[in-house]
Amino acid sequence: ERLYWVLGLYYFEESVHNKVDFELVPALQPIIGNRSFSNDLRVRNESYAAFGQANYGLTQQLRLTTGLRYTHDRKEVDRRNLTYPSGVPNQPQAVREASSDDISTRVGLDYQWTPELMTYVSAAKGYKAGGFNGRASSVGDFNAYEPETVWTYELGLRSDFLDRRVRFNATEFSAEAGFTDAKYTELPTDAQFLASQLIDKDSEFVYTPKTSVTLAAQYSTPLSDRFELSARIDYAHKSTIDFDVANSPLLRQKPYGLLNARITLLHVPN
């Protein structure tokens, strides 16, 4: 058959109660008063989606893949800031609600040059729902953040050599407006923010290396009818990572690489 397809439905619901107590040093309370507080959040998230994907053989070697997904998300957050340990409200209770919809698509082509060699290209749109910054220190800062979308593009190679004893795969991946190349485009213009000089449009996002590279190789060989030996080595490299929004040099991870190796003896039952 030339056509393969799948259809599906998705539903997710969760209710979360998160209460964190912040007890300041009791010895200072006679001087500064009781500044201890509790951050009390009650969150309800709901998401449902319908999706489908089809693979169609244009020829014996060329295959087209298309996909479509509709997603609806709804979020509700009840925020309460309370005096600790009495539970008396420090700030007015605030409830925020938001919903969003998205249609995500995917299209790709792959070509099977030989039984051991395949290349492909694809483009896809990804989506992540927005929400609220529940850790805000005041009701005024308890705001929503918008949903995120990103277009990703892949160019790849999948291959086996030497009677499938050696496998080589390669992927070129890029994202348009994704976190790996994110930039600040709009910033507050009030005097307090400008005076803080905390970030500007050249600031880097936190926990976001510009470059991540992973290389891996694995070799397996049978020792007998019941045992197989495999060896694997992989290397991962990440560029500079900032851990605070101000990009402080003291809170910055320099570029680094990790080299891992593993040998496995596998017992194969009769």
Side-chain angles (χ1 to χ4, degrees), residues 4 93 220 244 262 268:
Y4 297 89
Q93 179 181 352
S220 300
D244 71 325
R262 182 176 69 228
V268 182

Side-chain angles (χ1 to χ4, degrees), residues 3-269:
L3 177 65
Y4 297 89
W5 55 270
V6 61
L7 298 174
L9 298 173
Y10 171 85
Y11 180 77
F12 170 80
E13 181 181 356
E14 71 171 350
S15 296
V16 178
H17 182 197
N18 178 257
K19 183 172 179 287
V20 181
D21 300 323
F22 297 89
E23 183 177 10
L24 303 186
V25 181
L28 296 178
Q29 292 186 11
I31 303 174
I32 64 173
N34 182 16
R35 302 294 181 87
S36 301
F37 65 95
S38 299
N39 197 46
D40 191 331
L41 296 176
R42 297 151 196 244
V43 182
R44 184 174 183 272
N45 295 323
E46 184 181 35
S47 177
Y48 58 81
F51 59 89
Q53 180 168 299
N55 298 326
Y56 181 74
L58 300 174
T59 69
Q60 288 187 342
Q61 294 172 293
L62 181 64
R63 183 176 64 173
L64 171 69
T65 299
T66 59
L68 189 70
R69 177 187 175 106
Y70 168 77
T71 306
H72 175 81
D73 288 290
R74 180 179 176 274
K75 295 178 180 286
E76 178 182 311
V77 181
D78 180 345
R79 177 190 179 274
R80 310 176 191 193
N81 187 280
L82 313 171
T83 301
Y84 177 84
S86 65
V88 176
N90 274 330
Q91 301 172 6
Q93 179 181 352
V95 179
R96 302 281 192 267
E97 296 183 20
S99 62
S100 58
D101 300 270
D102 182 77
I103 296 178
S104 304
T105 57
R106 180 177 185 269
V107 62
L109 286 170
D110 61 78
Y111 193 84
Q112 196 74 42
W113 298 87
T114 69
E116 293 80 24
L117 177 63
M118 185 267 284
T119 55
Y120 71 92
V121 60
S122 72
K125 177 191 173 189
Y127 157 80
K128 182 180 179 181
F132 299 94
N133 106 10
R135 300 294 186 187
S137 59
S138 67
V139 175
D141 292 331
F142 179 37
N143 300 317
Y145 53 88
E146 297 297 321
E148 303 166 14
T149 59
V150 58
W151 276 97
T152 61
Y153 307 94
E154 282 189 59
L155 178 66
L157 166 74
R158 300 291 183 265
S159 59
D160 293 314
F161 300 98
L162 302 178
D163 197 22
R164 299 196 173 184
R165 291 187 176 91
V166 176
R167 172 167 294 171
F168 177 78
N169 297 332
T171 302
E172 171 68 22
F173 176 87
S174 64
E176 181 179 299
F179 269 133
T180 55
D181 195 26
K183 291 291 183 183
Y184 293 102
T185 57
E186 295 184 13
L187 296 172
T189 56
D190 59 275
Q192 182 179 358
F193 178 83
L194 295 176
S196 72
Q197 298 183 339
L198 185 63
I199 60 174
D200 56 35
K201 290 186 177 180
D202 293 325
S203 298
E204 300 292 344
F205 274 35
V206 296
Y207 308 114
T208 309
K210 284 188 174 181
T211 305
S212 297
V213 177
T214 301
L215 301 173
Q218 180 168 315
Y219 178 77
S220 300
T221 183
L223 298 179
S224 67
D225 293 338
R226 303 183 63 180
F227 290 95
E228 181 180 274
L229 182 68
S230 66
R232 178 183 175 86
I233 185 170
D234 58 71
Y235 175 77
H237 174 83
K238 292 184 182 295
S239 59
T240 301
I241 303 174
D242 287 288
F243 292 105
D244 71 325
V245 294
N247 296 169
S248 169
L250 297 177
L251 296 175
R252 178 177 295 159
Q253 171 66 59
K254 295 180 180 179
Y256 70 94
L258 291 177
L259 180 65
N260 299 306
R262 182 176 69 228
I263 296 177
T264 304
L265 180 62
L266 177 65
H267 175 252
V268 182

